[in-house]
Amino acid sequence: MKPVLYLLFLSVLWGSSFLWTKELLDYFEPTTIVFLRCLFGIVALLPFLLRSKNRIDLKKVTPKFLLVVALAGAIPWNFMGFALQGIDSGLSGILNATTPLLAVVFSVFLLKVKPLRNQVFSLIIGFIAVVSLLAFSGQAIGAQFSLFHALLMFGTTSCYALNSIYVNKYYSHIPALQLCFWTLAIAVVINGPISLLIEPTAFLQLGSPSVFLPLLVLGSLSSGLGYVIFYVIVSISGPILAVMVTFIVPFVSIALGVMFLDEPLHIGIAIGLPLMIVSLVLMNLHSIKFGKVRESSVD
């Protein structure tokens, strides 16, 4: 029961990240939001890092490694911030679910991995879902939609996909907590100077509850503790349950957008969301079957 509760809590945290980012766009530029959320995230991670038995090895921190972890936060969260300036948070949540689809595409072209049959069908359905979203979202009454900003979300998901591929190939031996720390740290280093240059008075707004609360949830909980919870789920129940967060996040982002941002539900979401869920199920079908085989063999 605990892993399921962890999963639901994590889905709310990650699903709400679009809402909080959109709220903070009223106060800051996207680069400043990335800088502050990662700063809050590092503060939340410090107790776990201090208690960890695995000490940070600076010899492993190469330029290639820093580029790979930058693909998890420093770069994609900027894309997401700029994207949310022109699209609804619900739509961004659905488009964010294309990450595993792009991971397969990049694996085929970069690593020469032959896709499974279910993955091919998944890509086809996922493509139809994305086209439906882009075609109908722009026609929805009351919806905030810009094709350019919607396409920026693919910059976000492409970074996530590339990060997952290269971490799995080259850095799977590095403890997850350290990967999370470096993801946030490099984002602070890259975005911090830019933020201080374009918005030098940003820190003066942290005393406002309307700024501090979103940053607390987005940074400390979603960006910091969220990754810890994710890896706890993986360690307790394995990746099969953990990947379910991908299915739930779009529903959370849509619900929060409708309730708190008055975003409309429209035919683009009605068509695109179910297709995306089917696509994700097909994408993970072989993993689910393998997980069931392993469970039965243990029994």
Side-chain angles (χ1 to χ4, degrees), residues 1-4 6-7 230-243 291 294-295:
M1 187 63 182
K2 278 188 177 181
V4 175
Y6 289 153
L7 177 69
F230 177 78
Y231 292 120
V232 167
I233 296 172
V234 172
S235 65
I236 295 176
S237 302
I240 304 303
L241 181 63
V243 81
R294 288 189 61 183
E295 287 175 5

Side-chain angles (χ1 to χ4, degrees), residues 73-264:
I75 301 173
W77 289 342
N78 273 289
F79 276 122
M80 185 175 76
F82 285 108
L84 283 167
Q85 291 179 331
I87 59 175
D88 289 339
S89 60
L91 175 59
S92 64
I94 301 175
L95 293 177
N96 190 69
T98 60
T99 298
L101 306 181
L102 291 175
V104 172
V105 173
F106 289 141
S107 295
V108 171
F109 286 99
L110 298 178
L111 304 180
K112 309 303 180 184
V113 175
K114 185 178 180 180
L116 300 174
R117 182 179 298 179
N118 62 290
Q119 293 176 326
V120 174
F121 286 119
S122 172
L123 290 173
I124 295 173
I125 295 175
F127 177 76
I128 296 173
V130 169
V131 171
S132 300
L133 280 166
L134 298 182
F136 291 105
S137 294
Q139 302 173 13
I141 298 175
Q144 184 182 16
F145 181 80
S146 159
L147 180 59
F148 171 74
H149 289 86
L151 293 176
L152 282 179
M153 276 303 300
F154 292 106
T156 301
T157 53
S158 294
C159 288
Y160 289 157
L162 289 169
N163 169 264
S164 65
I165 290 173
Y166 288 121
V167 165
N168 183 64
K169 184 174 178 62
Y170 299 110
Y171 304 111
S172 58
H173 61 284
I174 297 179
L177 190 59
Q178 292 189 23
L179 285 173
C180 182
F181 167 76
W182 286 111
T183 296
L184 299 176
I186 193 62
V188 168
V189 171
I190 292 176
N191 291 279
I194 301 174
S195 171
L196 294 174
L197 181 64
I198 62 177
E199 294 185 288
T201 61
F203 279 101
L204 298 179
Q205 300 189 57
L206 294 182
S208 170
S210 59
V211 171
F212 184 80
L213 179 59
L215 280 173
L216 181 65
V217 178
L218 183 62
S220 300
L221 299 181
S222 180
S223 304
L225 295 180
Y227 281 101
V228 177
I229 295 172
F230 177 78
Y231 292 120
V232 167
I233 296 172
V234 172
S235 65
I236 295 176
S237 302
I240 304 303
L241 181 63
V243 81
M244 289 300 294
V245 72
T246 311
F247 303 97
I248 304 174
V249 163
F251 289 98
V252 175
S253 64
I254 291 171
L256 293 177
V258 170
M259 288 189 294
F260 296 104
L261 299 177
D262 295 323
E263 295 177 353

